[in-house]
Amino acid sequence: SGIIKPTAGHVAVGGRVGSLLELGAGFQIALSDLEIEVLRLHVDGVGYQEIAATLQRGAKSVDNALQRVRHKLGSHLAQQQSA
């Protein structure tokens, strides 16, 4: 996998920018809707308290969701390395 270079176009940015990564085949991790949203906001640089307020969840719920994501990603990466 790698970064895909644009062929043409222009972008106007008025906020945060996150990179889009090309993910190889087999990157099939089952994340819940909450885990996906928490991960997306976390990658965007949003803090725990703001994530909790945005998603109307407690800070502990946000922390637990991120711990599950880290565990799932870690397990997936370990499986890929041993294959």
Side-chain angles (χ1 to χ4, degrees), residues 21 23-24 26-32 35-36 38-40 42-43 64-82:
L21 301 177
L23 301 176
F27 194 78
Q28 304 280 334
I29 299 174
L31 298 176
S32 70
E35 292 166 348
I36 292 168
V38 168
L39 178 60
R40 183 184 63 79
H42 185 66
V43 167
N64 288 339
L66 276 174
Q67 285 181 21
R68 289 191 305 271
V69 169
R70 287 184 191 110
H71 176 75
K72 289 177 182 181
L73 288 175
S75 297
H76 175 75
L77 293 175
Q79 290 173 0
Q80 291 295 317
Q81 290 174 353
S82 65

Side-chain angles (χ1 to χ4, degrees), residues 41-60:
L41 291 166
H42 185 66
V43 167
D44 283 345
V46 179
Y48 279 66
Q49 295 299 326
E50 191 178 346
I51 293 172
T54 300
L55 300 178
Q56 299 178 346
R57 301 283 181 144
K60 185 66 176 169

Side-chain angles (χ1 to χ4, degrees), residues 16-21 43-44:
R16 296 184 185 124
V17 175
S19 62
L20 297 175
L21 301 177
V43 167
D44 283 345

